[in-house]
Amino acid sequence: MDRAALTQFLEDEFQQVAQMFAIDDVAPMTATIRLLNDERHLRPGGTVSGPAMFALADVSVYLAIMAMIGPKALSVTTNCAIDFMRKPASGVDLICETRLLKLGRVLAVGDCLIFAEGHDAAVARASLTYSIPPDG
Amino acid sequence: MDRAALTQFLEDEFQQVAQMFAIDDVAPMTATIRLLNDERHLRPGGTVSGPAMFALADVSVYLAIMAMIGPKALSVTTNCAIDFMRKPASGVDLICETRLLKLGRVLAVGDCLIFAEGHDAAVARASLTYSIPPDG
Amino acid sequence: MDRAALTQFLEDEFQQVAQMFAIDDVAPMTATIRLLNDERHLRPGGTVSGPAMFALADVSVYLAIMAMIGPKALSVTTNCAIDFMRKPASGVDLICETRLLKLGRVLAVGDCLIFAEGHDAAVARASLTYSIPPDG
Amino acid sequence: MDRAALTQFLEDEFQQVAQMFAIDDVAPMTATIRLLNDERHLRPGGTVSGPAMFALADVSVYLAIMAMIGPKALSVTTNCAIDFMRKPASGVDLICETRLLKLGRVLAVGDCLIFAEGHDAAVARASLTYSIPPDG
């Protein structure tokens, strides 16, 4: 799926998610996904944006996988390790640069660096494993 | 802080979070925190409750630490590893049983098992590290 | 497999490992495995025993799985998250208390607490995912 | 410390480790460390090289930190998350490409991709946190 198909898929399947995130770029084995600034502040805890960053990493790897294998909505996260390294600058979007390190028949592994837009130092790092359901 | 003080602290400092969670029990180095069923469905993705479970584990370790050292709101998560093991039963609260494995001067480590209420098999497991700010 | 069968399996399949570790106890979904003190000091870095504790957690979950499903030597670790919480006391064995949290058809998840023998506070915590090969 | 100083430090402080690893390259916030093929097979379990890959990632982040802050031998790993993605090709060295994502006053975070020499797909991915002791 290209960027347009992926955006449509997100809107069809995950309406709430579609309002929070934007797909900046998608290419083979990589994706750049954006957490919109307006939505950051609607998260529990306000400035404590750990769960928002987790959600961003989670959806980013999911979309990178969907872009490669097509819409298998039942793929599920089995594991995530995330490091929160810096407090993100306020008032800007968060950008998640994602690459797939493995895309197997059963398991996929992706890793993410999350940046506050316009800042060089990553605010968080995450790696996730997804389980891909068998065909048919 | 005991359960009443902790509940008050949650309401004062994190209003949105206070509506999502309830403190079932708190004791030295342990806490049992509940993610209310009504709130589960307000999360992005509906049934894809990964971020909701992350948020539950995150707040549970945070509250277990606060119960021991008092209200240091600036404590921050530096790291989380979470395994999603089963799809949680729908229509029930999620219960997070948390214990602190380390409560140092600078770092605290907690681990969590998350259950769907009334079910024996854990749906998720998480471990988190918090950085505790120095006094004064 | 019970403790005797598991010890034999370890000696047959992993001679070097068998000299480092002892099986203290095995029961449904749990195992207690010991890293022998003599072997701790043969690890790279001497007192920097991170890799030795990783190896202990890794073999412990592996043996707990083998005890349940029989000798499928091809099961492989796909993921590990480990927290090193305290410097272990010197001159004693390390004891790894392991429980399986999930034993699925394809994936198994175990978690471990590692203690220096005779000390109450865990020195490390680990969680591991194993991929189990299909039958036949 | 440059490559020569780092190699000398490794030989002085960690003789056993120094025989297993070679420092290919070190630059600001990055390092490339090699696990020598001969040493791979001396690890417990022979082909089950999980602990060897953990040790490689651990020493790589350690050396990348030492290169930046000088020899503080007491820095310790507090946390590691590692994904084993492919079985490494046999008969070749393993190469660990490491970058530091955070180098704070108290905590440092590094991540690693491990390759079998001459092969493009990473066999493992790891992220580690080190605790840096205060001066004086």
Side-chain angles (χ1 to χ4, degrees), chain A residues 43 78-80 82-84, chain B residues 43 78-80 82-84:
Chain A
R43 309 293 304 186
T78 59
N79 178 270
C80 176
I82 187 165
D83 294 287
F84 301 103
Chain B
R43 307 294 303 185
T78 59
N79 179 270
C80 175
I82 186 164
D83 293 289
F84 301 103

Side-chain angles (χ1 to χ4, degrees), chain D residues 12-88:
Chain D
D12 292 347
E13 299 287 328
F14 303 100
Q15 283 194 3
Q16 278 182 301
V17 173
Q19 296 168 349
M20 292 179 60
F21 300 105
I23 301 170
D24 273 23
D25 191 38
V26 59
M29 301 294 273
T30 70
T32 304
I33 311 295
R34 176 182 296 262
L35 174 60
L36 300 171
N37 179 46
D38 285 356
E39 302 297 329
R40 285 177 56 185
H41 304 297
L42 301 178
R43 309 293 304 186
T47 60
V48 181
S49 51
M53 284 191 268
F54 174 89
L56 173 58
D58 194 33
V59 78
S60 295
V61 174
Y62 182 74
L63 290 172
I65 296 170
M66 293 301 104
M68 294 298 290
I69 67 173
K72 288 198 176 188
L74 291 179
S75 300
V76 292
T77 311
T78 59
N79 179 270
C80 175
I82 187 164
D83 294 288
F84 300 103
M85 299 185 293
R86 294 173 184 86
K87 187 179 163 65

Side-chain angles (χ1 to χ4, degrees), chain B residues 92-111:
Chain B
V92 296
D93 292 350
L94 292 184
I95 311 289
C96 183
E97 297 182 356
T98 299
R99 59 184 170 171
L100 298 184
L101 298 173
K102 172 180 178 161
L103 183 56
R105 195 176 44 82
V106 173
L107 294 177
V109 178
D111 80 352

